[in-house]
Amino acid sequence: DTAVSQTPKYLVTQMGNDKSIKCEQNLGHDTMYWYKQDSKKFLKIMFSYNNKELIINETVPNRFSPKSPDKAHLNLHINSLELGDSAVYFCASSHDGQGDEQFFGPGTRLTVL
Amino acid sequence: RKEVEQDPGPFNVPEGATVAFNCTYSNSASQSFFWYRQDCRKEPKLLMSVYSSGNEDGRFTAQLNRASQYISLLIRDSKLSDSATYLCVVNRGSGYSTLTFGKGTMLLVSP
């Protein structure tokens, strides 16, 4: 009964490729997020969706395109991968997105070669 | 000034010690405050919310000083299992607002 799940857990790919990461939550939350945690361990918000609508986009390159088919799913597609995209990507969800506590998925470790 | 600043760490303490973490935040409109814990190669997990009146959960005590924009976490009687990185987390204001995470302070508890 995993609350927030992500696939894949690991992703190793070449520069220039396109890849997707999927996220699902079964908590009944309205809001979902994508975070990037780089090698310096700093956790940065990328996007936030509330009921399938984009509400926060933190000046992320447009190579990153989130998609929310329904409020339980938030996917992240990355085009033309670059070395600097190597990081751990965490999906999270929260009840209403108004500063409430967030629950994180296990992360996807992306390595771009 | 960074949005959320924490002690750089790491903190190395023996089992049974009391350890305190400090955090300051820059946005006076922030209304929600949390401490999260992140184990190595794992996701962040909520440790506790922080309330204006201060709150305690077993060996953990959190304090908030809105005037000074300062948050603290006290861990008493440290256990080996407390070894982790502790993240100070603050929201950005009212309405739809995301959480801003501090860089974290690593705690290493040794036998």
Side-chain angles (χ1 to χ4, degrees):
Chain A
D1 56 345
T2 307
V4 183
S5 58
Q6 294 178 230
T7 54
K9 195 163 182 182
Y10 299 96
L11 195 48
V12 181
T13 188
Q14 300 284 339
M15 261 192 340
N17 283 351
D18 303 338
K19 290 293 177 187
S20 291
I21 308 171
K22 296 188 174 186
C23 178
E24 176 180 359
Q25 55 96 3
N26 63 5
L27 296 167
H29 289 164
D30 285 344
T31 310
M32 295 185 72
Y33 311 83
W34 278 111
Y35 286 87
K36 178 179 180 181
Q37 189 169 44
D38 59 25
S39 57
K40 294 180 182 174
K41 308 298 183 190
F42 193 46
L43 195 64
K44 273 194 80 172
I45 183 70
M46 299 173 70
F47 301 103
S48 173
Y49 271 74
N50 180 269
N51 268 317
K52 305 190 295 177
E53 298 295 323
L54 178 68
I55 53 172
I56 291 171
N57 180 341
E58 287 285 309
T59 58
V60 176
N62 57 17
R63 298 183 295 105
F64 291 79
S65 48
K67 277 195 174 55
S68 183
D70 56 62
K71 74 174 192 178
H73 295 84
L74 179 62
N75 304 322
L76 183 66
H77 187 75
I78 316 171
N79 288 327
S80 304
L81 278 155
E82 300 177 358
L83 293 176
D85 297 332
S86 296
V88 182
Y89 292 83
F90 286 103
C91 175
S93 73
S94 72
H95 176 60
D96 60 19
Q98 304 204 16
D100 54 342
E101 62 192 76
Q102 296 178 12
F103 297 82
F104 284 77
T108 296
R109 188 169 294 272
L110 171 65
T111 303
V112 182
L113 303 173
Chain B
R1 185 178 172 185
K2 289 183 186 166
E3 287 187 74
V4 179
E5 287 200 76
Q6 296 186 240
D7 294 329
F11 284 20
N12 287 282
V13 303
E15 266 187 297
T18 295
V19 60
F21 299 125
N22 301 313
C23 170
T24 56
Y25 61 95
S26 61
N27 186 351
S28 59
S30 296
Q31 298 181 0
S32 306
F33 309 91
F34 308 95
W35 284 100
Y36 275 69
R37 167 195 170 129
Q38 187 172 23
D39 291 278
C40 188
R41 300 179 77 87
K42 297 283 190 181
E43 72 272 22
K45 289 185 178 175
L46 179 70
L47 179 66
M48 58 197 300
S49 301
V50 186
Y51 304 115
S52 295
S53 53
N55 48 299
E56 192 173 302
D57 183 0
R59 299 181 293 108
F60 299 84
T61 301
Q63 298 277 357
L64 168 64
N65 184 322
R66 284 185 187 269
S68 305
Q69 294 179 205
Y70 168 84
I71 306 163
S72 66
L73 175 69
L74 186 76
I75 306 176
R76 290 180 300 279
D77 189 23
S78 299
K79 311 286 183 199
L80 294 176
S81 57
D82 293 335
S83 296
T85 296
Y86 290 82
L87 304 166
C88 178
V89 185
V90 173
N91 87 314
R92 284 184 177 171
S94 58
Y96 287 120
S97 66
T98 189
L99 300 180
T100 301
F101 286 73
K103 206 167 175 183
T105 304
M106 185 182 288
L107 172 66
L108 299 167
V109 182
S110 52

